[in-house]
Amino acid sequence: GASGLVGRHLLVRLAEAGHAVDAVSRNPGQLEARAGMRAIQADLAMPDWIAKIGISLAKYEVIYHLAYASGRDETYNHRVTVDSVRALMEGLREIGDTKLRHVVYVGSMVVFGSLPEDPVVTEESTRIGDSAYARNKIAAAQHASMTKPGLVSTILHPTGVYDESSPRIRTYRQLLSRNYIALRAGGRGTNNIVHAADVADALMQCIRRVPASSTEEYIINGESISYGDWFERLSSTTTNRSWLQLPQAAKHLCRGPVRRMLNAVGISC
């Protein structure tokens, strides 16, 4: 997952720390060339992806697995998100003594469900597979935790990951540029977000600290912010004239003639 949202930031951190890196990606052409980095093309949906790219797992000290898929092809999604982790961990258990000491897997807060059972979600909270993506992430984390003596496995579950170029931000900016009316809980709903650079920092900390056990699992939550404040912050980065935020009850008014009138003056509703 080297060319992904978090992977790009992680490569920067690894280069700054002077590490030699093999960056595996389905689209290595998207990677910026860096000192000490070798780009390797691979499709993790292939059952024998490790053998196909011709690498020896025994040569590495740390392996990061960030890749996942969540498109329309559920078979492909499962192969990339789950089977690639299983193949990696099976391959590591089959080799003998190596200098490899740490595997770090990036999961997701989705494993706790869209409506978590616990009022305060912790690493011990119940996993809820209420979507195909959630079930894949739960299964992948289970595979990632199946380590071997002398090998530490760390699993990180970030909340909503973003950076300035991510699709999430682009979508919000598009809405703001059309003077979108934000109605979600009147703007008081909580949005739990974490910047991709902060996730990369956490990934670096994983290999610097002394682990408490052979298998660790952590939640990464950078910031809790209301949707109203979040849209207000993003509006400062757009060229829109203004944007309106109405209370939740106003959604019943945004229909029929009222909706057509608002749309006519450039307000999406």
Side-chain angles (χ1 to χ4, degrees):
S3 59
L5 181 59
V6 175
R8 296 194 303 270
H9 289 273
L10 178 59
L11 288 177
V12 174
R13 300 296 188 270
L14 291 169
E16 291 173 346
H19 293 292
V21 178
D22 280 352
V24 179
S25 171
R26 190 175 60 173
N27 302 300
Q30 298 178 358
L31 298 175
E32 180 181 345
R34 301 185 184 280
M37 186 194 83
R38 179 176 66 142
I40 301 175
Q41 183 175 19
D43 186 347
L44 270 62
M46 301 297 292
D48 54 349
W49 67 272
I50 298 175
K52 280 186 174 297
I53 60 179
I55 61 173
S56 170
L57 297 177
K59 65 178 284 189
Y60 302 106
E61 295 182 32
V62 177
I63 295 178
Y64 289 102
H65 191 297
L66 288 70
Y68 72 94
S70 57
R72 295 183 178 181
D73 188 337
E74 291 297 342
T75 300
Y76 183 83
N77 295 343
H78 192 276
R79 287 175 177 172
V80 173
T81 308
V82 182
D83 293 344
S84 68
V85 180
R86 176 186 52 76
L88 173 64
M89 300 308 293
E90 287 179 353
L92 293 176
R93 290 193 296 270
E94 289 173 359
I95 60 179
D97 293 335
T98 70
K99 60 181 180 180
L100 181 67
R101 56 186 177 85
H102 210 141
V103 173
V104 184
Y105 172 70
V106 177
S108 170
M109 280 293 289
V110 73
V111 301
F112 301 105
S114 56
L115 294 173
E117 294 180 354
D118 302 330
V120 178
V121 177
T122 70
E123 289 81 357
E124 288 72 38
S125 294
T126 303
R127 272 55 174 170
I128 303 175
D130 56 3
S131 68
Y133 177 54
R135 290 189 290 273
N136 283 346
K137 278 295 188 178
I138 291 171
Q142 290 172 341
H143 285 301
S145 67
M146 298 174 66
T147 182
K148 69 176 186 177
L151 180 63
V152 174
S153 173
T154 301
I155 302 166
L156 301 182
H157 297 297
T159 55
V161 182
Y162 77 100
D163 74 359
E164 289 70 24
S165 64
S166 66
R168 175 187 301 229
I169 301 302
R170 290 199 300 269
T171 300
Y172 283 165
R173 284 175 175 157
Q174 289 170 359
L175 295 177
L176 289 171
S177 69
R178 297 197 300 266
N179 292 346
Y180 186 78
I181 301 177
L183 295 175
R184 184 164 183 172
R188 294 187 299 276
T190 301
N191 187 18
N192 295 303
I193 56 175
V194 58
H195 197 283
D198 292 329
V199 179
D201 286 336
L203 291 170
M204 293 297 293
Q205 288 298 321
C206 287
I207 64 175
R208 290 172 178 158
R209 60 186 293 277
V210 177
S213 65
S214 60
T215 302
E216 305 179 303
E217 202 160 359
Y218 299 104
I219 291 173
I220 308 175
N221 179 20
E223 181 179 11
S224 294
I225 183 173
S226 72
Y227 280 92
D229 290 341
W230 179 234
F231 271 57
E232 189 67 40
R233 181 184 300 181
L234 287 177
S235 68
S236 65
T237 67
T238 68
T239 58
N240 63 303
R241 299 185 305 277
S242 63
W243 68 283
L244 302 178
Q245 177 182 320
L246 300 180
Q248 183 77 5
K251 70 178 182 180
H252 301 295
L253 301 176
C254 196
R255 60 183 62 179
V258 175
R259 179 174 183 173
R260 289 192 291 272
M261 180 186 69
L262 291 174
N263 290 343
V265 297
I267 299 177
S268 298
C269 179

